[in-house]
Amino acid sequence: AVSNRQVDLKQLAADETLTIAGARLDALSPLLRMAKVDLTTSGVANGQLKLAAAGIDHLSANGDIKVAGLTATGPLLKGDTYSTKVLNIPVDLSIASANSSAAVVTIKTLAVEFDQGKITVAGAAPLDALASAARLLPAALQQATSSSKASAVAWQGGNGQLTVTVDVPDIASIANQLPHLLQLQKGLTLSGGALHHQSALALSADKAVLTTATDLTHVAGQADGKPVTLQPLPLSAGATATPSPTPS
């Protein structure tokens, strides 16, 4: 909005729809190479994203993007080729702040859905706290696993949480497409298997707590013509990172 010949961003209002129609992903390959991402992609993308702004204090995006016939190959995948008939990316997120408080990102829906499974992200947390945690957790890991002293990390605390969930009921299809990337034993092919993983990040004023749990079940296949099975493999880990006196 314009008041007294000046733009008042607090009164800014926008409601636009971004439409993607028949976008060919092979056009991305040169851009990926420029970004030093050794990947060649193909497929056709369609979808809509509704973008809204209520001043500079509230921004939101809602919609979904679908890619038909996605393939990806190249050195990044160790020469393997991954494909999915449909890739769906639903989005429902917002960034808001009130009374000059820290901006909070709220993710109601953010997912990548593919033939073999899906990855979902959900949660709400201050952007500054998420950025601090992204610096603090690697520093804490360095401190715990090496003799070198981790660098000091500027900490901006805040209450929030973020969860990433991976559900792949058809892990065999992915493994058989990516044997070199996953370093499968030569001659091994899988006929079944399921993967479930969840990482949860909890943020507070003085620390970041990360917990992870992974379950790999019902893995079966053949190695050089002989049947093989893998017992259920549950894995879990956790870390609490604090910013001072050094990341821990």
Side-chain angles (χ1 to χ4, degrees):
V2 178
S3 177
N4 296 324
R5 298 183 180 180
Q6 292 185 339
V7 177
D8 186 355
L9 294 178
K10 292 185 178 180
Q11 300 300 320
L12 177 67
D15 191 351
E16 300 291 338
T17 298
L18 172 65
T19 300
I20 301 172
R24 298 182 60 87
L25 296 192
D26 49 4
L28 289 178
S29 297
L31 298 177
L32 292 174
R33 285 194 291 271
M34 289 175 61
K36 297 184 179 180
V37 177
D38 291 327
L39 199 65
T40 300
T41 58
S42 64
V44 179
N46 293 277
Q48 286 189 336
L49 284 177
K50 183 178 180 181
L51 308 174
I56 59 173
D57 295 331
H58 191 280
L59 308 173
S60 65
N62 182 281
D64 67 348
I65 299 170
K66 290 183 171 64
V67 179
L70 173 70
T71 64
T73 189
L76 187 65
L77 300 182
K78 306 297 183 184
D80 293 333
T81 299
Y82 170 76
S83 65
T84 177
K85 293 179 180 177
V86 178
L87 182 78
N88 185 38
I89 306 174
V91 176
D92 186 356
L93 58 84
S94 63
I95 301 175
S97 60
N99 300 322
S100 300
S101 61
V104 174
V105 58
T106 299
I107 304 173
K108 294 181 179 179
T109 304
L110 180 58
V112 179
E113 303 168 348
F114 41 97
D115 290 353
Q116 302 85 5
K118 64 179 179 179
I119 302 169
T120 58
V121 181
L127 280 174
D128 289 345
L130 286 173
S132 292
R135 296 189 298 267
L136 179 62
L137 286 165
L141 182 62
Q142 177 188 347
Q143 183 79 7
T145 59
S146 70
S147 57
S148 60
K149 196 170 185 178
S151 302
V153 175
W155 174 250
Q156 179 67 50
N159 295 321
Q161 51 82 30
L162 191 70
T163 302
V164 179
T165 304
V166 180
D167 275 306
V168 185
D170 186 12
I171 195 67
S173 176
I174 293 180
N176 292 334
Q177 290 188 60
L178 306 173
H180 300 98
L181 180 66
L182 299 179
Q183 298 183 345
L184 292 187
Q185 176 184 328
K186 188 176 181 180
L188 173 65
T189 58
L190 298 183
S191 56
L195 172 70
H196 174 79
H197 171 84
Q198 187 172 84
S199 291
L201 177 65
L203 302 171
S204 61
D206 60 348
K207 62 180 178 294
V209 180
L210 177 67
T211 58
T212 68
T214 303
D215 286 296
L216 186 61
T217 58
H218 308 298
V219 176
Q222 288 192 336
D224 297 325
K226 298 180 180 179
V228 294
T229 59
L230 180 67
Q231 294 297 317
L233 183 63
L235 299 171
S236 61
T240 298
T242 55
S244 61
T246 57
S248 62

